[in-house]
Amino acid sequence: MIGLFVGKSMKAFHDRPSRRGTAGFTLIELLIVVAIIGLISAIAIPNLLNAIDKGKQKRSMADVRSIATAVESYGVDNARYPLNVSTWSAMKPLLNPFFIKDPPDVDGWSTTWDTATDAAGDVYTVASLGKDAAADTRAGGTTTNFACDIVFVTGQFYQWPEGTQT
């Protein structure tokens, strides 16, 4: 009985059709598909990273405007801006919660804001240090680099990003 069973299964094994004539992918075809996916990724990833940095930049600009609005409100209520403030940790308690509720502590790149006011309370500055998190020379006007500072001085942007960024 066992011999009969083995004989039938061996016959069934030999009766199966050959895979040589069936459709499938060759190694060359798979390598070509992988190469195409790699090429598309090489093009798409830099654009994606640029879009992410652009989003961080726009978020930072919106947050700077919000903080500046709070400083302006402080100025209206007190007839001057805060006096001799040189850090965000000194500025935040003056604004929160009366002029802005829970202001953001960091810019889009997770760097603490660069804030300052003068001794007379006439001028204030709120700035994002940009992607490089380092204070740059602030020449004013437009910038085209994500590493450049975004600077808001007494009611208007002094230095801001515009156009294609690198």
Side-chain angles (χ1 to χ4, degrees), residues 106-120:
V106 293
D107 64 7
W109 293 277
S110 299
T111 304
T112 303
W113 300 110
D114 181 23
T115 58
T117 62
D118 66 348

Side-chain angles (χ1 to χ4, degrees), residues 68-85 91 94-95 99 116-124 154:
T69 299
V71 174
E72 291 288 337
S73 296
Y74 178 98
V76 168
D77 281 6
N78 295 288
R80 60 175 168 72
Y81 301 123
L83 303 175
N84 289 326
V85 175
M91 176 79 80
L94 301 172
L95 304 177
F99 303 105
T117 62
D118 66 348
D122 296 331
V123 178
Y124 69 90
T154 315

Side-chain angles (χ1 to χ4, degrees), residues 64-154:
V64 164
R65 279 190 192 104
S66 297
I67 292 168
T69 299
V71 174
E72 291 288 337
S73 296
Y74 178 98
V76 168
D77 281 6
N78 295 288
R80 60 175 168 72
Y81 301 123
L83 303 175
N84 289 326
V85 175
S86 60
T87 64
W88 174 242
S89 59
M91 176 79 80
K92 184 179 176 180
L94 301 172
L95 304 177
N96 184 29
F98 304 110
F99 303 105
I100 185 172
K101 183 176 169 125
D102 296 324
D105 287 324
V106 293
D107 64 7
W109 293 277
S110 299
T111 304
T112 303
W113 300 110
D114 181 23
T115 58
T117 62
D118 66 348
D122 296 331
V123 178
Y124 69 90
T125 302
V126 180
S128 165
L129 299 179
K131 186 176 181 178
D132 64 354
D136 299 325
T137 57
R138 296 178 175 170
T142 61
T143 63
T144 58
N145 192 327
F146 288 120
C148 291
D149 297 355
I150 300 169
V151 185
F152 195 92
V153 178
T154 315

Side-chain angles (χ1 to χ4, degrees), residues 23-91:
F25 294 110
T26 65
L27 182 59
I28 298 296
E29 290 170 332
L30 289 173
L31 288 174
I32 290 171
V33 168
V34 168
I36 290 171
I37 290 171
L39 184 64
I40 291 170
S41 297
I43 294 169
I45 288 176
N47 290 335
L48 173 67
L49 295 175
N50 192 351
I52 289 170
D53 281 334
K54 190 74 165 174
K56 290 178 180 182
Q57 194 176 57
K58 293 297 181 186
R59 177 188 150 211
S60 297
M61 289 181 71
D63 288 346
V64 164
R65 279 190 192 104
S66 297
I67 292 168
T69 299
V71 174
E72 291 288 337
S73 296
Y74 178 98
V76 168
D77 281 6
N78 295 288
R80 60 175 168 72
Y81 301 123
L83 303 175
N84 289 326
V85 175
S86 60
T87 64
W88 174 242
S89 59
M91 176 79 80

